[in-house]
Amino acid sequence: MAKATKKATKKAAPKKAAAKKTTAKKAAPKAKATTKKAAPKAKAAKAPKAKSARKPNAAFMKALTPSAALAAVVGASPLPRTEVVKKLWAYIKKNNLQDSKNKRNINADAKLKEVFGGKTQVSMFDMTKLVSKHLK
């Protein structure tokens, strides 16, 4: 029986220590909660300023002239870089040039092979890098 009472006293001691820690932790979040309540009011005041329209990046909207090889795919008129990429994707989808197993790869036909520097297959991430060489 002496062993049983020792175990009971040992178990009781950690519970008391744990209880003290929890009370200390409970007091701290109450103080933080008051600071969090003040923060949303400040954000609410700033919200009308954030609703203003975004300004487009001038570099993306600048009209660039495509090279002769790229003009065969997207047209000869000067276009912004974003429109060139849109027209390229339209051409790729129309001619079913996207790889069937790995959709990130593009299989080049005769026109795109010139744009891609003679490569037969290019990833969509490399495509924009290769196309930028054909824009001035």
Side-chain angles (χ1 to χ4, degrees), residues 59-88:
F60 284 122
M61 302 313 290
K62 182 181 176 186
L64 301 170
T65 307
S67 68
L70 185 59
V73 179
V74 297
S77 62
L79 295 167
R81 188 178 307 271
T82 54
E83 289 297 317
V84 170
V85 173
K86 281 183 186 178
K87 287 193 176 195
L88 261 174

Side-chain angles (χ1 to χ4, degrees), residues 5 11 13 19 21 28 59 62 70 82 88 90 99 101 106 114 119 125 127 129:
T5 56
K11 288 183 181 176
K21 288 181 183 177
K62 182 181 176 186
L70 185 59
T82 54
L88 261 174
D99 191 35
K101 292 181 182 176
I106 298 153
E114 294 178 36
K119 296 180 180 178
F125 305 110
M127 179 185 74
K129 181 173 80 171

Side-chain angles (χ1 to χ4, degrees), residues 3-67:
K3 288 182 181 178
T5 56
K6 284 183 182 177
K7 286 183 182 178
T9 56
K10 285 183 183 178
K11 288 183 181 176
K15 287 182 182 176
K16 289 180 183 176
K20 288 180 183 177
K21 288 181 183 177
T22 56
T23 57
K25 287 182 183 177
K26 286 182 182 176
K30 288 181 182 175
K32 289 181 183 177
T34 57
T35 57
K36 286 183 181 179
K37 287 181 182 175
K41 291 178 184 175
K43 286 183 182 178
K46 291 180 183 178
K49 292 180 184 177
K51 288 185 180 179
S52 63
R54 284 182 43 206
K55 293 180 183 176
N57 190 346
F60 284 122
M61 302 313 290
K62 182 181 176 186
L64 301 170
T65 307
S67 68

